[in-house]
Every structure is written in structure tokens, then in C-alpha cells.
Amino acid sequence: MLQLISFLIHGIQPFLVPICFVVAWTVTILAVLSLWTAARDSVTTAKQMHQIPCSGCQFFTDNYRLKCTVRPSIANTEEAIHCLDYQPKTNPYLY
């Protein structure tokens, strides 16, 4: 049994370096692609979140209990991007 294992190891040995080379580069490329995809998705999400107009609306209260006096259920969510009740603050320095 030991001779069979020794024979297999010596038979595979010339192929180990190329196999390890390919596996190492594959893992490296997959890690870079994963990081790139995560960064791209983060930028897309950030761009969408910056479209939420709630902080510039006159009905936004900056209170964690009641964020919006008109539509509190959608305040600071993606649903508020095209809110029909949005009114810009008349004096942004008031609050």
C-alpha cells in the first residue's frame, strides 16, 4: 500500500507546479473580481441613496420618532425618491 502511494506521489509530482500555479492565479483573479463587484455595487447603492430628497424637504423633522409629518412610513427610504409631497425648505438654516 505504501509503495502504491509513493508511486502516485512521484507520478503526480511533475504536474504539481503547473497545477498550483493555475490554482493560485485563479484564486487571485476571483478575489480581485469579487472586490471589484462589491465596490461597484456599493457605488451604485450610494448613488441611489443620495437621490432621496427627504433631508431637504420642509416636512422632514430630523426626529427619529417622526421623520416626516406627511408620509412617515416612506421617509428616508427608496420609496421617497419620487415623493409627490416633497416641498423644498424655504429657509434651510431654520432647522
Side-chain angles (χ1 to χ4, degrees):
M1 184 67 163
L2 188 59
Q3 291 175 349
L4 180 64
I5 294 174
S6 175
F7 177 73
L8 287 175
I9 290 175
H10 287 296
I12 294 174
Q13 196 169 12
F15 303 109
L16 285 179
V17 172
I19 290 172
C20 289
F21 178 79
V22 169
V23 168
W25 275 107
T26 303
V27 168
T28 303
I29 290 170
L30 288 176
V32 169
L33 286 176
S34 176
L35 289 172
W36 173 257
T37 304
R40 185 188 65 207
D41 292 345
S42 297
V43 168
T44 303
T45 303
K47 284 181 180 179
Q48 187 171 8
M49 291 296 140
H50 283 290
Q51 291 178 351
I52 297 174
C54 290
S55 62
C57 181
Q58 72 180 17
F59 302 116
F60 188 69
T61 63
D62 266 341
N63 185 344
Y64 72 94
R65 289 181 227 134
L66 180 65
K67 294 179 181 171
C68 177
T69 56
V70 178
R71 294 183 184 237
S73 62
I74 67 167
N76 284 340
T77 64
E78 293 176 10
E79 296 175 34
I81 291 176
H82 299 292
C83 182
L84 298 176
D85 296 318
Y86 173 77
Q87 295 292 322
K89 287 182 181 178
T90 54
N91 186 358
Y93 301 108
L94 186 61
Y95 299 101

